[in-house]
Amino acid sequence: MEEKEILSRAQAYIAEEKDESFRKEVEELVAKKDMKELEDRFYQSLEFGTAGLRGVMGGGTNRMNTLNVSKATQGRASYISNAFPEEAKSGKLSACIAYDSRHNHDKFSDITARVFAANGIKAYLFTGLRPTPELSFAIRTLGCQTGVVVTASHNPPQYNGYKAYWSDGAQVTEPHDKNIINEVNAVKEVKIISREEGIASGKIVLIDKEIDDKYQAMIKANLYRPELIKEKAGSVKVVYTPLHGTGAMHVEKVLGDLGLNVITVPEQREGDGDFPTVAKPNPEEAPALKMAVELAKKEKADVVMATDPDADRFGTAFPDKDGNWVLVNGNEMGALLTDYILLSKKEFNKMPKDPVLIRSIVTSPFVDKIAESYGVSVQECLTGFKWIAYYEEQYEKAGNNRYAFGFEESYGYLIETEVRDKDGVSAAALCAEMTLYWASQGKSLLDRMNELYAKFGVYKDGQINQYFPGIQGPGIMKGIMTKLREDGLKSLGGKKVLKIRDILQQVQFDPANPSVKEKLEWPKSNVLQFMLEGGTVVSARPSGTEPKIKFYINATAPKAEEAEALRDKILSELQAVLDAAN
C-alpha cells in the first residue's frame, strides 16, 4: 500500500475517533512517520466477523477501539430494529451488555450501551465484571433481543473483543451474522447519547445482583446429587483460579454454598487485564495452571479448577496415585461429564425423549461411543459454541427438548438449557459433584477415565497451533489449505485415509474414488477432515479470531502407548507440511 493512501486513512481515522488516547496514538505515529506501524494499523479494517470483533487494541482501522466498537453497535442496532419490527414500534427493544477484566472494557461497554440507547434500544449494563455465560443467561431472563460481551476470551493481554448475541442467548448465527456484517459495513453515521442522559431517561439500566442471584440458583438447580454434596463436601478440597478474570465471584459463591472447601489462588483472584502471572490466561495450557497446581500440592488438594477470563472455558487437573498432577484435556473432561450426566439422567429418570448429545466436528469421536452406550444419539456441528446452541434451539422450537449435553474440545461445556453458550461456572459445580460421586464409589476421575478407555478404546489428542502474523499471514494460510485440498493426504502416521470431509465445499468422499461425493448439510466453513483407518480423525482449520492454522488429532488404538505413538507420528508429519509452507 502506498504511503499516501496509508496517511490518508490515518487522517480520516483521527478526524472520526472521539477517544483521545486512541486518537493520540495515531497522531504520534503520523508525526514520526512510522510507516511500518501505520501500515499494520491501516492496511485493512478490523473485520466484523460472524462472532463480532476481536483484535489488538489501539488506534487505527485494524485495531480494537471505540470508533470500531461504536460502528459495530450502530450497524447491529439498525439491523435489530428491522429484525424485530413489532418490538421496535412499541419501544420494547432491549440489549444486555457485560464485560470481563480486559483493558478498555469500561470504554467499550459504555459506548456500546450509549449507542444502543441512542437508537431506541434499552441497554441493560452490568455494573462490574461478569462472565460470558451470565450474559447469555441475562438475555434470556430479561427477554432482550440482543446482547454483547466485551471480551477476547483467553487471547494475550493486548487483545480485546466484542461478542455479538441474539435473542435466544446464543452468539449470532445464519442468516443474521452475514446480514449484520453488511449493515455494519454500511454505517455512515453513529447515533450516541451521554451515559448520564441514558441513565436519567431509563434508556440505560444498570444491573447486577438481581441477575447474579438467579444465575447462581439456576446452576445449583441443575445438579443431580445435592444431598451427596452436603454429606461429602468436607472431604474434598478444591484449589481454584479465575486467571485474573471474572469467575471468582460465582465459582466461590456456588461451590461455597454447596459446602465445598475452595481455596482461590490469591495472586490470580482479582480481575487484571495485564494477566501478570501468566503468559496467556488459557486454562487449556499447562503453564496457566502452574500456580494453582503448586498451591494444590502445598494444600494437599483433591482437584484444581480454572476458568478463563470470561469464565466460559473450564480446565482441571487431578493428582494420580503417585501424587503427580495430571491435566485433563477438553475431550477427556467432556467424556467424563458425558458419562456422569447420562448415568445421572438415567438414574433419576431425567433423560429426555430421543436424547441427543451435541459436539463440534473437531471434538473427539470417543464421546460418541459413550453416548451410544446410554442410548443417546450424537449431533455433530461446526466449530464454535453458537452451533451447539443453534441445534439446542431447533429442538426446543420443534417442541421436543432432546438436549442432553453439549461440549467442544476447547474446554467448553454446557450443562443447562437456561444458558446458550459454554459455561465454566456450571461446569465447575458439576465437576465437583462428579468428583464426589466417584469418590463415594471408591474411584478418582482418573480411575473412571481409565475404565472408559478400557471399555471403548484409548484416544489420545494432539494439536498444532501455527501462527502466521502480519500482512503475508492470510496468504500463507490460504496456500496451505489450498494445497491440502488439491493434493489431499493419502495417509498419516502410516494409516490410510478412508474419507475426506471438505466443509467449505460441503462434501465428503473416499480419496480412492473422489468423483463420488456425498453432500454435507452444514454451512460452509474452511475446515478439512481426514478419517483414517482404525478410527483416528485429523482436522485442519484456520482460526476465525487469530492469524493461525489449527490441526486437531484424535488418535485411537487399543493401548495408550500405541495411541500416543500414532498421535506423535501424525503431529510430526503435519508439522513438516507447515514448515515447508514457511
Side-chain angles (χ1 to χ4, degrees), residues 119-138:
N119 282 271
I121 300 172
K122 180 184 285 188
Y124 292 99
L125 177 63
F126 277 102
T127 60
L129 313 183
R130 291 300 187 281
T132 287
E134 187 176 6
L135 181 277
S136 174
F137 177 79

PDB file of all heavy atoms in Angstrom, residues 119-138:
ATOM      1  N   ASN A 119     -30.322   4.619  19.807  1.00  0.00           N
ATOM      2  CA  ASN A 119     -31.122   4.033  18.728  1.00  0.00           C
ATOM      3  C   ASN A 119     -32.443   3.449  19.210  1.00  0.00           C
ATOM      4  O   ASN A 119     -33.081   2.659  18.506  1.00  0.00           O
ATOM      5  CB  ASN A 119     -30.308   2.944  18.029  1.00  0.00           C
ATOM      6  CG  ASN A 119     -29.282   3.503  17.067  1.00  0.00           C
ATOM      7  OD1 ASN A 119     -29.565   3.732  15.893  1.00  0.00           O
ATOM      8  ND2 ASN A 119     -28.067   3.743  17.565  1.00  0.00           N
ATOM      9  N   GLY A 120     -32.851   3.826  20.432  1.00  0.00           N
ATOM     10  CA  GLY A 120     -34.142   3.376  20.943  1.00  0.00           C
ATOM     11  C   GLY A 120     -34.140   1.964  21.493  1.00  0.00           C
ATOM     12  O   GLY A 120     -35.200   1.339  21.628  1.00  0.00           O
ATOM     13  N   ILE A 121     -32.973   1.444  21.812  1.00  0.00           N
ATOM     14  CA  ILE A 121     -32.854   0.085  22.363  1.00  0.00           C
ATOM     15  C   ILE A 121     -32.392   0.208  23.815  1.00  0.00           C
ATOM     16  O   ILE A 121     -31.277   0.669  24.081  1.00  0.00           O
ATOM     17  CB  ILE A 121     -31.846  -0.750  21.546  1.00  0.00           C
ATOM     18  CG1 ILE A 121     -32.306  -0.853  20.088  1.00  0.00           C
ATOM     19  CG2 ILE A 121     -31.658  -2.133  22.156  1.00  0.00           C
ATOM     20  CD1 ILE A 121     -31.287  -1.483  19.154  1.00  0.00           C
ATOM     21  N   LYS A 122     -33.255  -0.182  24.752  1.00  0.00           N
ATOM     22  CA  LYS A 122     -32.896  -0.098  26.164  1.00  0.00           C
ATOM     23  C   LYS A 122     -31.665  -0.962  26.417  1.00  0.00           C
ATOM     24  O   LYS A 122     -31.608  -2.130  26.014  1.00  0.00           O
ATOM     25  CB  LYS A 122     -34.046  -0.574  27.045  1.00  0.00           C
ATOM     26  CG  LYS A 122     -33.723  -0.518  28.539  1.00  0.00           C
ATOM     27  CD  LYS A 122     -34.842  -1.082  29.411  1.00  0.00           C
ATOM     28  CE  LYS A 122     -35.996  -0.121  29.486  1.00  0.00           C
ATOM     29  NZ  LYS A 122     -37.006  -0.589  30.499  1.00  0.00           N
ATOM     30  N   ALA A 123     -30.672  -0.402  27.094  1.00  0.00           N
ATOM     31  CA  ALA A 123     -29.411  -1.098  27.327  1.00  0.00           C
ATOM     32  C   ALA A 123     -29.290  -1.472  28.803  1.00  0.00           C
ATOM     33  O   ALA A 123     -29.183  -0.595  29.666  1.00  0.00           O
ATOM     34  CB  ALA A 123     -28.237  -0.224  26.903  1.00  0.00           C
ATOM     35  N   TYR A 124     -29.330  -2.773  29.081  1.00  0.00           N
ATOM     36  CA  TYR A 124     -29.057  -3.277  30.433  1.00  0.00           C
ATOM     37  C   TYR A 124     -27.548  -3.488  30.538  1.00  0.00           C
ATOM     38  O   TYR A 124     -26.973  -4.315  29.835  1.00  0.00           O
ATOM     39  CB  TYR A 124     -29.770  -4.597  30.677  1.00  0.00           C
ATOM     40  CG  TYR A 124     -31.275  -4.494  30.743  1.00  0.00           C
ATOM     41  CD1 TYR A 124     -32.066  -4.801  29.635  1.00  0.00           C
ATOM     42  CD2 TYR A 124     -31.915  -4.094  31.919  1.00  0.00           C
ATOM     43  CE1 TYR A 124     -33.451  -4.723  29.699  1.00  0.00           C
ATOM     44  CE2 TYR A 124     -33.307  -4.005  31.986  1.00  0.00           C
ATOM     45  CZ  TYR A 124     -34.065  -4.327  30.875  1.00  0.00           C
ATOM     46  OH  TYR A 124     -35.440  -4.245  30.945  1.00  0.00           O
ATOM     47  N   LEU A 125     -26.920  -2.729  31.426  1.00  0.00           N
ATOM     48  CA  LEU A 125     -25.457  -2.739  31.544  1.00  0.00           C
ATOM     49  C   LEU A 125     -25.038  -3.226  32.921  1.00  0.00           C
ATOM     50  O   LEU A 125     -25.430  -2.641  33.940  1.00  0.00           O
ATOM     51  CB  LEU A 125     -24.910  -1.330  31.292  1.00  0.00           C
ATOM     52  CG  LEU A 125     -23.399  -1.114  31.440  1.00  0.00           C
ATOM     53  CD1 LEU A 125     -22.622  -1.936  30.418  1.00  0.00           C
ATOM     54  CD2 LEU A 125     -23.060   0.372  31.294  1.00  0.00           C
ATOM     55  N   PHE A 126     -24.255  -4.305  32.966  1.00  0.00           N
ATOM     56  CA  PHE A 126     -23.743  -4.785  34.247  1.00  0.00           C
ATOM     57  C   PHE A 126     -22.818  -3.740  34.862  1.00  0.00           C
ATOM     58  O   PHE A 126     -22.065  -3.061  34.158  1.00  0.00           O
ATOM     59  CB  PHE A 126     -23.001  -6.109  34.070  1.00  0.00           C
ATOM     60  CG  PHE A 126     -23.909  -7.309  34.038  1.00  0.00           C
ATOM     61  CD1 PHE A 126     -24.226  -7.924  32.831  1.00  0.00           C
ATOM     62  CD2 PHE A 126     -24.442  -7.823  35.207  1.00  0.00           C
ATOM     63  CE1 PHE A 126     -25.057  -9.036  32.797  1.00  0.00           C
ATOM     64  CE2 PHE A 126     -25.275  -8.940  35.191  1.00  0.00           C
ATOM     65  CZ  PHE A 126     -25.599  -9.549  33.981  1.00  0.00           C
ATOM     66  N   THR A 127     -22.862  -3.646  36.195  1.00  0.00           N
ATOM     67  CA  THR A 127     -22.071  -2.629  36.884  1.00  0.00           C
ATOM     68  C   THR A 127     -20.623  -3.046  37.114  1.00  0.00           C
ATOM     69  O   THR A 127     -19.793  -2.226  37.505  1.00  0.00           O
ATOM     70  CB  THR A 127     -22.692  -2.301  38.259  1.00  0.00           C
ATOM     71  OG1 THR A 127     -22.712  -3.507  39.054  1.00  0.00           O
ATOM     72  CG2 THR A 127     -24.102  -1.764  38.114  1.00  0.00           C
ATOM     73  N   GLY A 128     -20.315  -4.320  36.925  1.00  0.00           N
ATOM     74  CA  GLY A 128     -18.956  -4.808  37.133  1.00  0.00           C
ATOM     75  C   GLY A 128     -18.692  -6.028  36.278  1.00  0.00           C
ATOM     76  O   GLY A 128     -19.523  -6.429  35.464  1.00  0.00           O
ATOM     77  N   LEU A 129     -17.511  -6.617  36.454  1.00  0.00           N
ATOM     78  CA  LEU A 129     -17.103  -7.752  35.644  1.00  0.00           C
ATOM     79  C   LEU A 129     -18.084  -8.916  35.799  1.00  0.00           C
ATOM     80  O   LEU A 129     -18.455  -9.276  36.915  1.00  0.00           O
ATOM     81  CB  LEU A 129     -15.705  -8.230  36.053  1.00  0.00           C
ATOM     82  CG  LEU A 129     -14.595  -7.192  36.225  1.00  0.00           C
ATOM     83  CD1 LEU A 129     -13.279  -7.893  36.559  1.00  0.00           C
ATOM     84  CD2 LEU A 129     -14.444  -6.339  34.979  1.00  0.00           C
ATOM     85  N   ARG A 130     -18.484  -9.518  34.675  1.00  0.00           N
ATOM     86  CA  ARG A 130     -19.388 -10.656  34.708  1.00  0.00           C
ATOM     87  C   ARG A 130     -18.978 -11.671  33.628  1.00  0.00           C
ATOM     88  O   ARG A 130     -18.505 -11.293  32.547  1.00  0.00           O
ATOM     89  CB  ARG A 130     -20.832 -10.240  34.460  1.00  0.00           C
ATOM     90  CG  ARG A 130     -21.486  -9.432  35.565  1.00  0.00           C
ATOM     91  CD  ARG A 130     -21.542 -10.166  36.884  1.00  0.00           C
ATOM     92  NE  ARG A 130     -22.300  -9.479  37.910  1.00  0.00           N
ATOM     93  CZ  ARG A 130     -21.876  -8.458  38.649  1.00  0.00           C
ATOM     94  NH1 ARG A 130     -20.664  -7.951  38.452  1.00  0.00           N
ATOM     95  NH2 ARG A 130     -22.646  -7.925  39.580  1.00  0.00           N
ATOM     96  N   PRO A 131     -19.195 -12.965  33.895  1.00  0.00           N
ATOM     97  CA  PRO A 131     -18.831 -13.994  32.918  1.00  0.00           C
ATOM     98  C   PRO A 131     -19.724 -13.973  31.676  1.00  0.00           C
ATOM     99  O   PRO A 131     -20.888 -13.563  31.738  1.00  0.00           O
ATOM    100  CB  PRO A 131     -19.051 -15.311  33.689  1.00  0.00           C
ATOM    101  CG  PRO A 131     -19.146 -14.939  35.124  1.00  0.00           C
ATOM    102  CD  PRO A 131     -19.679 -13.541  35.150  1.00  0.00           C
ATOM    103  N   THR A 132     -19.184 -14.457  30.591  1.00  0.00           N
ATOM    104  CA  THR A 132     -19.951 -14.583  29.352  1.00  0.00           C
ATOM    105  C   THR A 132     -21.229 -15.406  29.542  1.00  0.00           C
ATOM    106  O   THR A 132     -22.290 -15.011  29.057  1.00  0.00           O
ATOM    107  CB  THR A 132     -19.068 -15.195  28.247  1.00  0.00           C
ATOM    108  OG1 THR A 132     -18.116 -14.207  27.827  1.00  0.00           O
ATOM    109  CG2 THR A 132     -19.879 -15.635  27.056  1.00  0.00           C
ATOM    110  N   PRO A 133     -21.181 -16.577  30.215  1.00  0.00           N
ATOM    111  CA  PRO A 133     -22.427 -17.340  30.358  1.00  0.00           C
ATOM    112  C   PRO A 133     -23.516 -16.590  31.108  1.00  0.00           C
ATOM    113  O   PRO A 133     -24.706 -16.787  30.835  1.00  0.00           O
ATOM    114  CB  PRO A 133     -21.998 -18.606  31.112  1.00  0.00           C
ATOM    115  CG  PRO A 133     -20.664 -18.300  31.690  1.00  0.00           C
ATOM    116  CD  PRO A 133     -20.032 -17.321  30.760  1.00  0.00           C
ATOM    117  N   GLU A 134     -23.132 -15.707  32.036  1.00  0.00           N
ATOM    118  CA  GLU A 134     -24.156 -14.925  32.728  1.00  0.00           C
ATOM    119  C   GLU A 134     -24.804 -13.929  31.772  1.00  0.00           C
ATOM    120  O   GLU A 134     -25.999 -13.632  31.897  1.00  0.00           O
ATOM    121  CB  GLU A 134     -23.584 -14.203  33.942  1.00  0.00           C
ATOM    122  CG  GLU A 134     -24.676 -13.527  34.760  1.00  0.00           C
ATOM    123  CD  GLU A 134     -24.196 -12.876  36.044  1.00  0.00           C
ATOM    124  OE1 GLU A 134     -22.971 -12.844  36.280  1.00  0.00           O
ATOM    125  OE2 GLU A 134     -25.047 -12.398  36.818  1.00  0.00           O
ATOM    126  N   LEU A 135     -24.033 -13.420  30.824  1.00  0.00           N
ATOM    127  CA  LEU A 135     -24.605 -12.533  29.798  1.00  0.00           C
ATOM    128  C   LEU A 135     -25.665 -13.279  28.998  1.00  0.00           C
ATOM    129  O   LEU A 135     -26.773 -12.768  28.781  1.00  0.00           O
ATOM    130  CB  LEU A 135     -23.488 -12.012  28.888  1.00  0.00           C
ATOM    131  CG  LEU A 135     -23.789 -11.045  27.734  1.00  0.00           C
ATOM    132  CD1 LEU A 135     -24.265 -11.736  26.481  1.00  0.00           C
ATOM    133  CD2 LEU A 135     -24.736  -9.925  28.140  1.00  0.00           C
ATOM    134  N   SER A 136     -25.365 -14.505  28.580  1.00  0.00           N
ATOM    135  CA  SER A 136     -26.333 -15.320  27.847  1.00  0.00           C
ATOM    136  C   SER A 136     -27.588 -15.559  28.689  1.00  0.00           C
ATOM    137  O   SER A 136     -28.716 -15.433  28.201  1.00  0.00           O
ATOM    138  CB  SER A 136     -25.696 -16.658  27.457  1.00  0.00           C
ATOM    139  OG  SER A 136     -26.645 -17.514  26.869  1.00  0.00           O
ATOM    140  N   PHE A 137     -27.383 -15.902  29.963  1.00  0.00           N
ATOM    141  CA  PHE A 137     -28.498 -16.116  30.883  1.00  0.00           C
ATOM    142  C   PHE A 137     -29.333 -14.849  31.037  1.00  0.00           C
ATOM    143  O   PHE A 137     -30.574 -14.899  31.047  1.00  0.00           O
ATOM    144  CB  PHE A 137     -27.939 -16.557  32.236  1.00  0.00           C
ATOM    145  CG  PHE A 137     -28.977 -16.742  33.302  1.00  0.00           C
ATOM    146  CD1 PHE A 137     -29.757 -17.889  33.349  1.00  0.00           C
ATOM    147  CD2 PHE A 137     -29.168 -15.767  34.279  1.00  0.00           C
ATOM    148  CE1 PHE A 137     -30.707 -18.068  34.350  1.00  0.00           C
ATOM    149  CE2 PHE A 137     -30.126 -15.934  35.277  1.00  0.00           C
ATOM    150  CZ  PHE A 137     -30.896 -17.088  35.312  1.00  0.00           C
ATOM    151  N   ALA A 138     -28.679 -13.695  31.139  1.00  0.00           N
ATOM    152  CA  ALA A 138     -29.383 -12.425  31.333  1.00  0.00           C
ATOM    153  C   ALA A 138     -30.246 -12.069  30.121  1.00  0.00           C
ATOM    154  O   ALA A 138     -31.362 -11.559  30.279  1.00  0.00           O
ATOM    155  CB  ALA A 138     -28.379 -11.309  31.609  1.00  0.00           C
TER     156      ALA A 138
END
